[in-house]
Amino acid sequence: MSVETEEKHRTIFLVEDNKADIRLIQEAFKNSQVPHEVVTVRDGMDAMAYLRQEGDYTHAPRPDLILLDLNLPRKDGREVLAEIKADPVLKRIPVVVLTTSRNEDDIFHSYDLHVNCYITKSRNLTQLFQIVKGIEEFWLSTVTLPPE
């Protein structure tokens, strides 16, 4: 009798332009109990190329979770979110907006675009690590994500 004990390796797709935030979020995920890889791009154009497996990203794995900043160069995070949720292939990938914006228009607009969760990033390191831990526990351990 065989019991499957191996957890699925998760791909977390971080779309963030700020190098310091990338480093902190990657550091926060290092303590994760869930086998994972954090893949990062720094603008909206690369985000869509990765998700559509175009150009340099032809063999990119489909992410299990997208962490999306709103204020991105080349293509805004709001545009990226709209394209993801309008695409029948991509729309089931959970998207967590992780941004410094507390603007109510951004919050309403993100939910109008069917974001799965909107979180305001903290500049406090301890709080940021708690936020990432909460994301990990909920999105990678608790919820059942759709198969590819």
Side-chain angles (χ1 to χ4, degrees), residues 33-77:
Q33 301 299 310
V34 177
H36 71 280
E37 171 186 25
V38 178
V39 177
T40 304
V41 297
R42 297 188 59 208
D43 67 61
M45 295 293 286
D46 281 348
M48 292 314 302
Y50 178 96
L51 291 169
R52 292 183 174 139
Q53 298 179 314
E54 299 171 343
D56 293 340
Y57 305 106
T58 304
H59 300 290
R62 179 184 168 93
D64 296 289
L65 176 66
I66 300 170
L67 303 179
L68 177 66
D69 189 13
L70 287 182
N71 301 312
L72 298 168
R74 297 179 61 207
K75 181 177 282 195
D76 188 73

Side-chain angles (χ1 to χ4, degrees), residues 88-120:
V89 174
L90 303 175
K91 70 181 180 184
R92 290 191 180 109
I93 301 171
V95 179
V96 174
V97 166
L98 190 56
T99 182
T100 55
S101 174
R102 295 179 184 274
N103 182 315
E104 284 188 10
D105 289 341
D106 283 338
I107 296 167
F108 281 118
H109 188 62
S110 294
Y111 282 106
D112 286 346
L113 293 171
H114 307 288
V115 71
N116 299 91
C117 183
Y118 188 103
I119 298 174
T120 304

Side-chain angles (χ1 to χ4, degrees), residues 8 10 62 64 92 144-148:
K8 182 182 184 291
R10 301 290 184 176
R62 179 184 168 93
D64 296 289
R92 290 191 180 109
T144 301
L145 297 173
E148 290 184 32

